[in-house]
Amino acid sequence: MWSTAPTIAAGDLVIVWLTRDLLQPLLITPGKDFNSRFGNYRHNDFIGVPYGSKVGAPTGKGFIHLLRPTPELWTMALPHRTQILYLADIAFITSQLNIRRGSRVIEAGTGSASFSHSVIRSVGSAGHLWSYEFHEARAAKARDEFTRHGMLDIVTLTHRNVCKDGFTVIDTADSLFLDIPAPWDAIEHAKKALRKDCITRICCFSPCMEQVLRTVSALNDAGFTDITMYETLLRPHDVSQIPPLPSIDDAADKLKRAEARREEKRLKQIAQGQRTKRKRDGDSVDPDELDLKRAKTDKVTEEISVQVDEIAQDLAAPNTNNRFSVSKVMSEVRGHTSYLTFACLLPDISLISAPRA
Amino acid sequence: MSNNEVSSSSVTHRLPTIQSGYNVLLRLPNGDIRGVKVDKDATITVGRLGSFFANELIGVPYGFTHEIVDKNLKIMPPRTLQEVEDTDATNELINDGESVQPLTIDEITALKQSGVHSSDIINKQIEAHANYSLKTEYSKEKYKKRKEAKYSKTFTTIEPTLFNVCDYWFNKDQTRIRDIRADTLSQILNLANVRPGGRYIAVDDASGLVICGILSRMGGEGRLITICDTDSPPAYPVMVQMNFDPKSVNGVLSSLNWATAQEDYTPVLPPSDVPAEDMKSERQKARLKKRKLVTDALASTREELFAGEFDGLIVASEYDPWPIVQKLTPYISGSASIVVQSPYGQILDDLQNKMRAVPSFLCPTVTEGWLRRYQVLPGRTHPTMMTSGTGGFLLHAIKVYDDPEASAVETHRSHRNKKAKMGQPQVVIEKESTLLDSEMAVE
């Protein structure tokens, strides 16, 4: 498993945090360089640095954070070979399947091994994960990854199509997770792989409702019970601090002041107009000219209200202690990952009809 | 352990069968969940269902549906979903409020007392029902289910998994567990990287739900120090249903309170080192010995906390989270996770604003879990009509060691760009540089 030492050593896998959306796994290799938009670094300079350190670029421009890998960070940093599972689903499935220290778990397919890393962490060295991947190249890559991460004592990776060929263990698993296009074809095999002396659980992860319906009917036919289905998501909040909201009284005052100024202006213009009229030997007012004047007045009003707005903001700005926290859900969020279909397999009654304690 | 076959073959700490002394959750036909204590040779009474011998459950795996027959239990075969035939029936001719059930309550009571099986009572009711044949097949099934919930003397045992226990408490009284729904609890445990062998600090004012989650994931391996606001740690009600093996708890869990968790405070304790000649009786000796054990345990737990380097900090508290985070962050290691839960978003919004001003918190993020359950029945699959509106909010951050000398590649705010020299080429990556300062972008 990943290093638990307080400081970074040669050969460690670290997660380089560049930004919230840009994380990168890095195997510390003496003599190598790490170049990024945020500066150029030498791996040697990372050795001996405590995990969790902010490290400035040698040039003084830019910095990165060096983090200890966790399955959650790995999920954010891993090289995608397929669509991957994220925190909300991984966490929920782990709990629903009762995956914990010592659990024996089966998963198919391995994919990018986002879920696998989390399960391996949760079951620990007392448990085991059997992971199946039908795509040969992906299986090879996942195997390399598990080897590099020192997880081979906890995980067994098999290149195999479980729908066709089933699983490699019988009566063994406490729980089983299927993230494959046609889970219904693997249900009978899954039933064989699950242990029969206590209640066991299965989860099928499918993005489409049509898949869910076929899965449910296959689970039902195979004798699984307690079928439940969920969707779960994580809604990230965008938090900010804002000044107290202006009151409508302010708006009313502003409008009143604008109105007063407009009236003042109008009266001035009338007065001026009358002066002009008087100059022009008392002819009647041209209606076109009046419209023109009205338009001018409106423009002035707009200018006034803009000025008032500025004043209102200037007044609010210095009161930073009055600012309060608000939050809203980010404007664009993940709306769907997959449907999670769960079911239980009850122990074989014949196995437990032995005399009771 | 009476059942040595199970205990030897299993590495899990809770036996997969029901043992004497366990608190077991039972699901009744109407969907209610009831907790009962299963003690050897006792008789258990479950309200309307009547009573049965506890020994009937001991040694039996979880998950079966049992029928009570003369105080004994009969395991029912597992029930699968039934396909319902679509017919042309509609409710066109069925009117509300009409009396359609000629069987009176007295008659039903008489049937029940004569010991007739619940399915016979239901069949009699169906026979006497005036409009039963008019109902759609869906409606007929619903009717039968409703009657079964009323008359059948069955219950299903629920395995005390973390999920099931959380679900039980959430439905029973979600305010007592600070609105922590199973999905949110799972996220807390994953975000805090809780694993066997890890070392954690937790503050749990959620009836012990969070502590149970951590203990359950650690499986008896690792260390958990909790800090509470009472003299000695409270008896956590949620822990009752978990049926933890005491061995997997005692070696792992220690508690301090907010006074004893202060480094500069010397706890006031009665003397435990009394000279031997002052010992009067054996009883006094025993008392002093016990007192010494408590004093020593307290001292070593304090020492352990203050030595720090814990792997994670988990907070679900009714107290202001900011002083808690400030006080306990020094005791967790670099790169360790901080997870704070609250039923209220605003409390975590405030906390996030305070944390993001401190460079030792990397990217404090507020999230809310969203969960939707579906009814899955053949031909009738849809989201449940009523659902829980909230499972609480979470704030997650990573503790980092700041380097005040390090500066961003480029910043758009001049006051932060102290090291920027004049005449440097302006490469503007505004968004990233703000984020690098472990801030959320505020647009």
Side-chain angles (χ1 to χ4, degrees):
Chain A
M1 210 56 196
W2 295 314
S3 168
T4 50
T7 55
I8 295 166
D12 280 6
L13 179 84
V14 300
I15 303 288
V16 182
W17 176 291
L18 300 157
T19 71
R20 188 157 52 126
D21 304 312
L22 188 59
L23 285 77
Q24 206 174 311
L26 186 71
L27 190 69
I28 302 298
T29 317
K32 268 197 163 183
D33 290 333
F34 173 74
N35 302 318
S36 74
R37 287 210 293 274
F38 305 97
N40 302 322
Y41 306 80
R42 287 176 308 176
H43 287 214
N44 289 43
D45 294 342
F46 298 156
I47 296 170
V49 166
Y51 274 104
S53 290
K54 184 191 212 179
V55 177
T59 58
K61 306 298 282 165
F63 59 80
I64 53 176
H65 283 99
L66 300 177
L67 303 180
R68 187 192 303 284
T70 63
E72 286 63 42
L73 288 171
W74 180 251
T75 291
M76 293 162 78
L78 61 82
H80 283 220
R81 298 184 283 268
T82 53
Q83 179 63 254
I84 67 163
L85 268 82
Y86 291 98
L87 172 70
D89 287 312
I90 294 173
F92 191 72
I93 295 164
T94 304
S95 284
Q96 245 283 8
L97 294 184
N98 198 26
I99 294 172
R100 60 206 170 111
R101 177 179 179 270
S103 295
R104 284 167 288 183
V105 184
I106 289 175
E107 71 160 349
T110 314
S112 303
S114 168
F115 183 67
S116 324
H117 279 81
S118 182
V119 171
I120 290 166
R121 178 264 318 271
S122 299
V123 302
S125 53
H128 203 81
L129 171 69
W130 287 267
S131 187
Y132 301 84
E133 172 60 49
F134 76 145
H135 188 282
E136 191 164 9
R138 282 206 293 266
K141 279 190 175 150
R143 185 176 292 111
D144 283 352
E145 217 167 75
F146 292 140
T147 313
R148 278 202 310 277
H149 298 176
M151 294 168 170
L152 288 185
D153 53 332
I154 303 177
V155 60
T156 305
L157 186 105
T158 307
H159 166 231
R160 167 185 289 234
N161 182 340
V162 296
C163 294
K164 276 197 218 140
D165 306 321
F167 300 91
T168 53
V169 291
I170 298 168
D171 288 348
T172 299
D174 296 300
S175 53
L176 195 145
F177 174 68
L178 294 178
D179 176 12
I180 50 177
W184 50 88
D185 286 333
I187 302 286
E188 280 297 338
H189 297 301
K191 197 177 169 181
K192 291 194 188 92
L194 290 165
R195 59 193 279 196
K196 306 296 183 302
D197 58 343
C198 66
I199 186 167
T200 56
R201 296 174 177 84
I202 188 169
C203 173
C204 301
F205 186 82
S206 302
C208 305
M209 186 58 88
E210 289 79 3
Q211 292 171 298
V212 172
L213 300 180
R214 285 188 75 169
T215 304
V216 167
S217 114
L219 286 167
N220 203 34
D221 293 346
F224 284 83
T225 58
D226 210 1
I227 299 173
T228 55
M229 203 260 279
Y230 293 91
E231 262 185 291
T232 185
L233 293 168
L234 202 61
R235 288 150 61 84
H237 283 226
D238 190 358
V239 183
S240 44
Q241 279 198 306
I242 59 164
L245 302 180
S247 157
I248 45 165
D249 293 341
D250 300 339
D253 289 348
K254 189 174 80 183
L255 289 165
K256 285 176 198 164
R257 280 200 300 274
E259 218 167 73
R261 291 228 192 155
R262 203 160 56 221
E263 180 62 10
E264 202 180 309
K265 197 88 189 171
R266 190 178 68 87
L267 292 174
K268 263 190 205 162
Q269 278 168 340
I270 289 172
Q272 194 167 12
Q274 279 167 346
R275 276 200 298 277
T276 320
K277 194 177 160 196
R278 255 182 258 122
K279 276 181 195 166
R280 280 198 208 155
D281 307 317
D283 281 355
S284 64
V285 181
D286 181 358
D288 285 350
E289 202 182 4
L290 206 69
D291 279 353
L292 204 78
K293 274 180 184 166
R294 198 173 291 142
K296 259 189 190 168
T297 318
D298 285 349
K299 205 177 164 196
V300 171
T301 319
E302 264 175 45
E303 275 165 17
I304 293 168
S305 72
V306 166
Q307 279 167 7
V308 173
D309 271 351
E310 276 164 9
I311 292 162
Q313 272 174 10
D314 285 345
L315 283 173
N319 289 333
T320 41
N321 341 347
N322 289 347
R323 295 168 79 88
F324 62 100
S325 307
V326 288
S327 69
K328 58 180 181 180
V329 175
M330 299 267 183
S331 52
E332 201 172 18
V333 295
R334 203 168 277 131
H336 179 63
T337 52
S338 272
Y339 296 108
L340 308 174
T341 309
F342 296 96
C344 292
L345 188 64
L346 289 177
D348 192 336
I349 298 184
S350 63
L351 283 179
I352 59 123
S353 50
R356 288 166 186 173
Chain B
M1 303 273 154
S2 58
N3 200 335
N4 49 30
E5 179 230 307
V6 182
S7 56
S8 63
S9 72
S10 172
V11 284
T12 56
H13 288 262
R14 206 188 306 109
L15 300 175
T17 57
I18 298 165
Q19 301 294 305
S20 176
Y22 276 18
N23 283 278
V24 178
L25 297 174
L26 309 179
R27 187 182 294 110
L28 309 188
N30 63 3
D32 285 355
I33 294 176
R34 195 73 65 78
V36 297
K37 182 99 192 287
V38 178
D39 282 319
K40 201 167 190 303
D41 300 330
T43 301
I44 296 168
T45 305
V46 194
R48 190 185 54 72
L49 300 190
S51 52
F52 62 93
F53 299 122
N55 291 9
E56 292 281 296
L57 275 184
I58 295 172
V60 177
Y62 289 99
F64 284 120
T65 300
H66 301 263
E67 182 171 27
I68 303 176
V69 185
D70 299 328
K71 295 209 168 189
N72 291 316
L73 296 180
K74 192 179 131 202
I75 292 177
M76 312 281 284
R79 211 161 156 183
T80 52
L81 303 173
Q82 296 303 309
E83 202 74 51
V84 177
E85 284 288 316
D86 236 335
T87 62
D88 292 337
T90 65
N91 60 7
E92 190 185 352
L93 300 170
I94 301 175
N95 295 313
D96 294 338
E98 283 177 8
S99 175
V100 292
Q101 183 49 264
L103 231 56
T104 63
I105 293 171
D106 290 342
E107 284 170 315
I108 293 168
T109 314
L111 279 171
K112 271 157 88 176
Q113 276 164 357
S114 69
V116 172
H117 194 268
S118 62
S119 58
D120 294 330
I121 301 179
I122 297 167
N123 283 337
K124 276 214 160 60
Q125 280 195 303
I126 289 173
E127 277 168 30
H129 193 295
N131 283 344
Y132 189 78
S133 58
L134 290 177
K135 287 175 180 284
T136 66
E137 293 305 311
Y138 297 116
S139 173
K140 281 179 188 168
E141 206 194 45
K142 256 188 176 171
Y143 179 85
K144 276 195 255 181
K145 265 221 166 106
R146 209 166 56 231
K147 294 297 167 194
E148 266 173 34
K150 229 169 152 182
Y151 302 122
S152 96
K153 291 179 182 297
T154 61
F155 63 82
T156 308
T157 53
I158 299 173
E159 188 181 6
T161 64
L162 184 63
F163 187 96
N164 289 341
V165 171
C166 182
D167 208 38
Y168 163 71
W169 276 94
F170 192 81
N171 291 320
K172 182 184 154 104
D173 190 352
Q174 74 177 78
T175 54
R176 281 183 72 188
I177 54 167
R178 299 185 61 76
D179 290 353
I180 304 175
R181 201 172 48 200
D183 55 324
T184 313
L185 179 62
S186 317
Q187 287 159 15
I188 293 173
L189 299 172
N190 275 41
L191 282 171
N193 192 24
V194 176
R195 59 187 169 82
R199 295 171 71 244
Y200 308 93
I201 306 170
V203 182
D204 182 326
D205 297 328
S207 301
L209 177 65
V210 173
I211 290 173
C212 286
I214 300 169
L215 288 173
S216 160
R217 289 282 176 93
M218 295 204 310
E221 204 184 305
R223 191 79 174 109
L224 172 61
I225 293 182
T226 67
I227 300 166
C228 51
D229 62 353
T230 46
D231 193 23
S232 52
Y236 294 114
V238 175
M239 214 177 271
V240 170
Q241 282 87 26
M242 294 299 294
N243 296 305
F244 283 126
D245 175 357
K247 274 182 286 179
S248 75
V249 176
N250 295 341
V252 172
L253 175 67
S254 293
S255 293
L256 294 173
N257 60 39
W258 290 114
T260 54
Q262 282 181 355
E263 284 191 46
D264 52 6
Y265 176 74
T266 313
V268 184
L269 295 163
S272 53
D273 288 318
V274 178
E277 57 267 29
D278 292 356
M279 297 276 200
K280 289 199 177 78
S281 64
E282 281 302 309
R283 223 174 104 226
Q284 194 187 13
K285 262 189 205 162
R287 200 173 66 223
L288 283 171
K289 201 177 159 196
K290 203 177 157 197
R291 194 186 278 172
K292 179 139 175 48
L293 279 177
V294 172
T295 313
D296 291 351
L298 175 64
S300 80
T301 307
R302 275 168 53 102
E303 225 167 82
E304 199 182 343
L305 175 71
F306 303 152
E309 294 294 306
F310 281 79
D311 297 324
L313 168 62
I314 301 155
V315 180
S317 176
E318 58 194 31
Y319 290 90
D320 182 354
W322 177 229
I324 298 178
V325 168
Q326 280 178 302
K327 182 168 173 47
L328 298 176
T329 300
Y331 304 135
I332 61 173
S333 67
S335 205
S337 276
I338 300 161
V339 184
V340 184
Q341 184 274 347
S342 176
Y344 306 106
Q346 199 178 357
I347 288 174
L348 297 184
D349 296 345
D350 286 339
L351 179 65
Q352 199 256 18
N353 272 318
K354 284 169 181 150
M355 286 176 78
R356 75 178 175 198
V358 181
S360 52
F361 300 114
L362 182 64
C363 196
T365 309
V366 178
T367 56
E368 183 188 6
W370 181 89
L371 184 72
R372 175 175 235 181
R373 188 175 170 166
Y374 284 73
Q375 165 182 302
V376 263
L377 289 174
R380 288 156 289 163
T381 298
H382 60 71
T384 50
M385 300 295 178
M386 285 304 292
T387 189
S388 76
T390 178
F393 296 80
L394 292 182
L395 180 144
H396 172 248
I398 295 173
K399 177 185 166 170
V400 289
Y401 298 116
D402 184 35
D403 174 8
E405 294 300 304
S407 70
V409 174
E410 203 54 63
T411 88
H412 62 295
R413 290 187 211 168
S414 54
H415 69 271
R416 226 193 277 128
N417 200 357
K418 281 172 197 142
K419 293 191 78 179
K421 300 272 154 55
M422 303 299 275
Q424 293 271 352
Q426 294 287 309
V427 190
V428 181
I429 321 171
E430 283 191 4
K431 195 174 177 203
E432 275 146 358
S433 59
T434 14
L435 290 170
L436 263 174
D437 276 0
S438 65
E439 285 199 30
M440 314 281 288
V442 182
E443 264 107 27

